[in-house]
């Protein structure tokens, strides 16, 4: 099941099961929604709209991501980065007690299928540059600037 919303960074397609959000992706155009969006899809859409209005800094909608133990640890660490702040890939590696796994953190970050809710956009390089972003660097920059405005 999926539901599409319009946002300042393009159309956002939210994918979910009956009980959790499983993926979010970006589109240049609105797609047709599933006939009956489950409550968690509607909740996620509401929370994202609030986020884009600057009214929400954390998300409460249930999430479900499938990945390796390392990826799951990385994604959990991402969710601990406060709104409006950033962490380096190296800092995330240290946070999961694997300080030599900086590149692996980058890889796990890139495989995050629930951007914004699992805030992979808040991870930058140790030099302070944006680094990559699977959903386009301009979106990462926009999201970081948006959060800084509302801190």
């Amino acid at each position: 099941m999926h539901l599409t919303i319009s946002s300042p960074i393009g159309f956002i397609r939210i994918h979910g099961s009956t009980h959790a959000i499983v993926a979010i992706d970006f589109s240049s155009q609105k797609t047709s929604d599933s006939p009956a969006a489950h409550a968690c899809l509607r909740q996620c859409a509401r929370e994202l709209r609030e986020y884009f209005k600057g009214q929400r800094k954390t998300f409460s909608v249930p999430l479900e991501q499938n990945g390796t133990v390392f990826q799951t640890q990385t994604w959990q660490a991402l969710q601990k980065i406060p709104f409006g702040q950033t962490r380096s890939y190296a800092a995330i590696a240290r946070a999961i007690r694997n300080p030599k796994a900086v590149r692996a953190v980058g890889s796990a970050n890139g495989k995050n299928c629930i951007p914004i809710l699992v805030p992979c956009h808040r991870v930058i390089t140790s030099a302070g540059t944006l680094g990559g972003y699977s959903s386009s660097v301009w979106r990462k920059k926009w999201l970081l600037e948006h959060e800084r405005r509302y801190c």
Side-chain angles (χ1 to χ4, degrees):
M1 313 231 47
H2 66 273
L3 181 64
T4 305
I5 65 167
S6 178
S7 82
I9 56 174
F11 290 103
I12 298 175
R13 192 171 35 235
I14 308 161
H15 303 268
S17 65
T18 57
H19 61 280
I21 300 306
V22 298
I24 287 179
D25 55 44
F26 298 93
S27 176
S28 59
Q29 58 188 8
K30 180 154 175 58
T31 58
S32 58
D33 294 332
S34 298
H38 289 291
C40 71
L41 286 171
R42 292 190 309 274
Q43 177 186 351
C44 185
R46 180 179 39 80
E47 290 185 8
L48 282 169
R49 286 185 189 105
E50 292 167 355
Y51 169 84
F52 285 113
K53 290 178 185 175
Q55 300 168 340
R56 175 173 290 275
K57 295 182 180 182
T58 60
F59 297 94
S60 61
V61 65
L63 307 177
E64 182 179 303
Q65 279 186 298
N66 294 314
T68 66
V69 170
F70 182 84
Q71 289 169 335
T72 301
Q73 290 172 336
T74 301
W75 298 332
Q76 288 170 347
L78 299 179
Q79 290 178 290
K80 294 176 183 172
I81 304 170
F83 180 92
Q85 295 184 25
T86 58
R87 298 290 183 271
S88 69
Y89 295 98
I92 298 298
R94 288 190 302 274
I96 62 171
R97 297 187 177 105
N98 199 339
K100 294 182 180 181
V102 176
R103 286 180 177 255
V105 164
S107 176
N109 202 46
K111 291 182 176 138
N112 170 31
C113 58
I114 310 177
I116 304 174
L117 305 182
V118 177
C120 52
H121 62 278
R122 295 180 188 154
V123 183
I124 60 173
T125 69
S126 293
T129 61
L130 293 182
Y133 189 59
S134 61
S135 301
S136 298
V137 175
W138 73 266
R139 282 191 178 102
K140 181 175 188 168
K141 182 179 180 194
W142 191 97
L143 290 166
L144 291 173
E145 290 172 353
H146 168 73
E147 290 185 7
R148 286 186 189 117
R149 274 192 303 274
Y150 291 101
C151 272

